[in-house]
Amino acid sequence: MNKPLAGAFLAALLLGASVAPAVAAEPAPQHQAPETVAAAPAAKAVTFAGTVALSNCSGSVVRSPDAAPTDPALVLSNGHCLESGFPGPGEVVVDQPSSRSFTLLDASGNGVGTLKASKIAYGTMTDTDLSLYETTSTYQQIEDRYGIEALELETAHPTAGTAITVASGYWKRTYSCDIDGFVHQLKEGRWTWKDSVRYTPECRTIGGTSGSPVIDDATGKVVAVNNTGNESGQECTDNNPCEVDENGQVTVREGINYAQQTYTMVPCIGAGSKIDLNREGCALPKP
């Protein structure tokens, strides 16, 4: 999680170390065929349609249940994937201009077009690790032009045991497993995240899967956004998050990966799919 693309690749060359699961370690082969890394086949409803590839991360076009076809489309990724760099603890980015581009994928993982951001609508690494970009295209324009619908955000807290798929637009790979449980606090370096999703071991996500949507196999809805994993068994260090329970007990799970829930975003998305942190029920961190 804690190394940008270039820095992570250089560190791997110099140290022979693996790169954090949350950041791309090397460019994806241009003609790489979509690959599935899974313990069991993903549900038929889960494809790459609606996912996107960023310059160093993954993401997806998402919508709230109340979004109108004429609303500007939103792209979901991680806070640590922002082009401006990692937000510091307590830092919240809102309504910042952006010209970032995203490669939109179809169901088979083929790039079908480019979406452009107009702004960073929201981004933070405090309590959660997410970013939302507002694009220059509406949901209807994307559907009309590419035949691709946005992924819908789940409005309720997910449950343990749910079968999920992590769909990486960067690598064009999926990872299938279950939600193993939830972490009271997940600490990594300077950052602390709350109520994080812990995967069962089958989801061995790699560098570049940061920002991938975590999709409920049964409903096809987004329940979380993939963001990190413990690489080498260290405790609470960069690239080695640790779990802290309600009593302060620390647990380290080497090789286990995590995501941040997204249902908490839905109350913060108002009319026109605009982020409104003052809406009733919105609990995302504010600037």
Side-chain angles (χ1 to χ4, degrees), residues 121-132:
Y122 185 85
T124 192
M125 289 177 65
T126 298
D127 294 348
T128 185
D129 183 8
L130 65 85
S131 60
L132 277 173

Side-chain angles (χ1 to χ4, degrees), residues 84-137:
S84 54
F86 294 0
E91 182 180 357
V92 177
V93 179
V94 293
D95 291 333
Q96 294 297 310
S98 175
S99 58
R100 198 162 194 184
S101 61
F102 314 96
T103 301
L104 179 67
L105 305 184
D106 66 12
S108 299
N110 301 307
V112 295
T114 300
L115 304 180
K116 294 286 188 180
S118 60
K119 67 179 180 179
I120 301 168
Y122 185 85
T124 192
M125 289 177 65
T126 298
D127 294 348
T128 185
D129 183 8
L130 65 85
S131 60
L132 277 173
Y133 287 85
E134 183 177 301
T135 71
T136 59
S137 301

Side-chain angles (χ1 to χ4, degrees), residues 5-267:
L5 175 60
F9 186 49
L10 180 60
L13 290 175
L14 296 177
L15 303 176
S18 61
V19 181
V23 182
E26 59 185 33
Q30 293 183 354
H31 302 292
Q32 179 176 349
E35 176 184 347
T36 298
V37 181
K44 291 182 179 180
V46 178
T47 70
F48 292 103
T51 64
V52 301
L54 285 66
S55 55
N56 61 344
C57 287
S58 299
S60 58
V61 181
V62 297
R63 66 176 180 87
S64 70
D66 297 328
T70 54
D71 289 350
L74 300 177
V75 168
L76 169 69
S77 190
N78 285 145
H80 77 258
C81 291
L82 290 172
E83 65 268 38
S84 54
F86 294 0
E91 182 180 357
V92 177
V93 179
V94 293
D95 291 333
Q96 294 297 310
S98 175
S99 58
R100 198 162 194 184
S101 61
F102 314 96
T103 301
L104 179 67
L105 305 184
D106 66 12
S108 299
N110 301 307
V112 295
T114 300
L115 304 180
K116 294 286 188 180
S118 60
K119 67 179 180 179
I120 301 168
Y122 185 85
T124 192
M125 289 177 65
T126 298
D127 294 348
T128 185
D129 183 8
L130 65 85
S131 60
L132 277 173
Y133 287 85
E134 183 177 301
T135 71
T136 59
S137 301
T138 67
Y139 293 113
Q140 190 65 60
Q141 287 171 334
I142 293 172
E143 187 172 351
D144 290 345
R145 189 173 303 161
Y146 306 112
I148 293 175
E149 298 181 359
L151 299 174
E152 185 175 334
L153 294 167
E154 175 59 70
T155 60
H157 192 293
T159 59
T162 297
I164 54 173
T165 297
V166 182
S168 170
Y170 183 90
W171 287 115
K172 302 181 179 63
R173 298 179 187 173
T174 60
Y175 303 79
S176 294
C177 60
D178 294 341
I179 293 177
D180 185 51
F182 304 95
V183 183
H184 176 63
Q185 290 186 337
L186 189 67
K187 290 183 176 289
E188 180 173 343
R190 298 186 295 150
W191 293 274
T192 300
W193 304 306
K194 298 178 179 179
D195 201 19
S196 303
V197 173
R198 179 177 62 241
Y199 304 145
T200 53
E202 293 82 10
C203 278
R204 300 191 63 84
T205 50
I206 62 173
T209 62
S210 290
S212 299
V214 180
I215 301 170
D216 183 322
D217 288 355
T219 66
K221 295 181 180 181
V222 176
V223 297
V225 57
N226 181 68
N227 81 308
T228 195
N230 187 293
E231 287 189 342
S232 57
Q234 296 180 28
E235 183 177 304
C236 312
T237 63
D238 289 354
N239 311 309
N240 292 281
C242 65
E243 301 182 12
V244 183
D245 68 14
E246 293 85 344
N247 299 315
Q249 181 175 342
V250 176
T251 301
V252 174
R253 302 179 191 270
E254 183 176 358
I256 294 299
N257 295 289
Y258 302 89
Q260 303 306 310
Q261 296 186 54
T262 50
Y263 80 97
T264 55
M265 296 164 41
V266 177

